[in-house]
Amino acid sequence: MARRLNTEVYALYLAYRDPRTPLYARIFTACVVGYAFSPIDLIPDFIPILGYLDDLLLIPLGIKVAIGMIPPEVMRDCREKAHTMFPNGKPVNRVAAAVIVLVWLVLAILIISQVLRVVLQVF
């Protein structure tokens, strides 16, 4: 099942780049693929029970929704390409990785600035 899920993620990776995929599906699929390939989780894995919740529920649910948004003929073509293009490895998208890191940095800066604002108001 894990291999099939990997193949689906690779197919989605190809589908979000396919011009036949609608814009709304491209945006959602890019987010799902970026999150699936990201080493940064929404909920860190070291948190008991909840840590693996995103891996067990959010990613498969996102994949299912994304597949439903993409035309069936596009998914069929992309699954075939995924089997031939990525038999042993994952695709690398440095732009998506950079965007994910940038989003996390911006969130961290916003959180730290809010905490500092509260701390400074107390003193």
Side-chain angles (χ1 to χ4, degrees), residues 13 86 90-94:
Y13 169 77
F86 309 116
K90 294 180 180 178
V92 176
N93 189 336
R94 296 190 197 294

Side-chain angles (χ1 to χ4, degrees), residues 60-104:
L61 182 62
I63 290 170
K64 184 173 177 70
V65 171
I67 289 172
M69 293 177 163
I70 298 169
E73 62 276 358
V74 174
M75 277 308 298
R76 185 176 47 253
D77 294 346
C78 291
R79 283 183 181 118
E80 290 173 9
K81 288 179 189 175
H83 283 294
T84 59
M85 288 179 67
F86 309 116
N88 299 320
K90 294 180 180 178
V92 176
N93 189 336
R94 296 190 197 294
V95 173
V99 168
I100 291 167
V101 169
L102 182 65
V103 167
W104 280 106

Side-chain angles (χ1 to χ4, degrees), residues 11-80:
L12 286 172
Y13 169 77
L14 296 171
Y16 97 88
R17 299 177 68 180
D18 192 303
R20 298 175 292 171
T21 302
L23 181 61
Y24 65 90
R26 283 178 164 192
I27 293 169
F28 184 80
T29 302
C31 292
V32 169
V33 169
Y35 186 74
F37 287 149
S38 171
I40 302 170
D41 287 341
L42 182 63
I43 305 168
D45 290 342
F46 63 82
I47 297 175
I49 299 171
L50 295 177
Y52 291 104
L53 187 64
D54 63 337
D55 296 332
L56 296 174
L57 295 176
L58 293 179
I59 293 174
L61 182 62
I63 290 170
K64 184 173 177 70
V65 171
I67 289 172
M69 293 177 163
I70 298 169
E73 62 276 358
V74 174
M75 277 308 298
R76 185 176 47 253
D77 294 346
C78 291
R79 283 183 181 118
E80 290 173 9

